[in-house]
Amino acid sequence: MALIAQSLILSAADLVVQSAGPIGTYGSIGAAVTAASDGDRVIINNASDGSAWTEDISIDKSLTLLSAVDSGRFKVIGDYTIVHAPGREVNIIGMDNRNGSILAGAAGTVSRTVINIMWLDLRGGQINVDEPYFELNLANSNLYGGDVYFTHGSIIGNNFRNHSIVSVSYTHLTLPTTPYV
């Protein structure tokens, strides 16, 4: 059993997104997500001209999306839709979504898809994973307008600004979450 787990860990890859990058990097987040396998990390640099990556992304595998820069965020514009599958886990770390949402894809019927989001800036969009087979864990993030809808999970240490609303169906809401008006 340990050998199987070790081989799964060893097979995970880091896919680097960099506009006009060297051979072996991906020219868009969508291209890296398409090429990725379950368990891979997609490491995202900001576009070379400083603009946001503009694309809608559908994530249909267990992945981690994270900023290539320590203490930095990768800038995006677009909707990120997580497709349900039993046991799927999607981690988003260090995203600055300037105009878009994070959404649940088709709902499942068994076992939850877990979405862990840390250090997100979400400007005007929403997080809507209000489906019984999705779990949202949102931590240390800033939401500027827009709502958060979820059925299962936790919200810990976030800032909600401009009348953002947290809507909870069957969830444990873990405070402190700081609402700003």
Side-chain angles (χ1 to χ4, degrees):
M1 185 72 112
L3 183 58
I4 293 171
Q6 242 180 347
S7 67
L8 289 174
I9 292 170
L10 293 176
S11 67
D14 288 343
L15 291 81
V16 177
V17 177
Q18 184 172 339
S19 56
I23 294 173
T25 61
Y26 293 85
S28 71
I29 298 169
V33 167
T34 299
S37 299
D38 277 328
D40 287 352
R41 297 187 323 164
V42 177
I43 301 170
I44 305 163
N45 288 286
N46 282 319
S48 57
D49 64 357
S51 65
W53 296 100
T54 303
E55 51 189 325
D56 292 332
I57 305 291
S58 179
I59 301 173
D60 61 355
K61 50 199 88 165
S62 291
L63 293 177
T64 297
L65 306 178
L66 68 148
S67 176
V69 179
D70 286 341
S71 301
R73 289 183 173 87
F74 60 94
K75 297 180 240 178
V76 299
I77 294 173
D79 292 337
Y80 283 67
T81 303
I82 302 4
V83 178
H84 174 271
R88 176 164 292 149
E89 183 173 319
V90 174
N91 303 299
I92 300 173
I93 304 167
M95 174 190 277
D96 179 358
N97 195 328
R98 295 171 170 225
N99 188 12
S101 296
I102 298 172
L103 308 166
T109 57
V110 296
S111 187
R112 291 189 188 138
T113 292
V114 177
I115 304 167
N116 299 308
I117 302 173
M118 293 175 40
W119 214 45
L120 166 74
D121 278 355
L122 185 65
R123 301 166 193 278
Q126 65 177 341
I127 298 174
N128 189 346
V129 294
D130 192 13
E131 298 289 342
Y133 293 100
F134 280 85
E135 176 181 325
L136 172 68
N137 299 302
L138 177 66
N140 300 321
S141 296
N142 300 302
L143 286 83
Y144 305 93
D147 300 331
V148 177
Y149 301 95
F150 65 112
T151 304
H152 301 282
S154 298
I155 295 181
I156 303 169
N158 299 282
N159 295 313
F160 294 89
R161 299 168 188 252
N162 299 332
H163 306 286
S164 292
I165 300 167
V166 177
S167 177
V168 180
S169 297
Y170 310 103
T171 306
H172 303 287
L173 179 60
T174 306
L175 299 176
T177 295
T178 308
Y180 287 90
V181 184

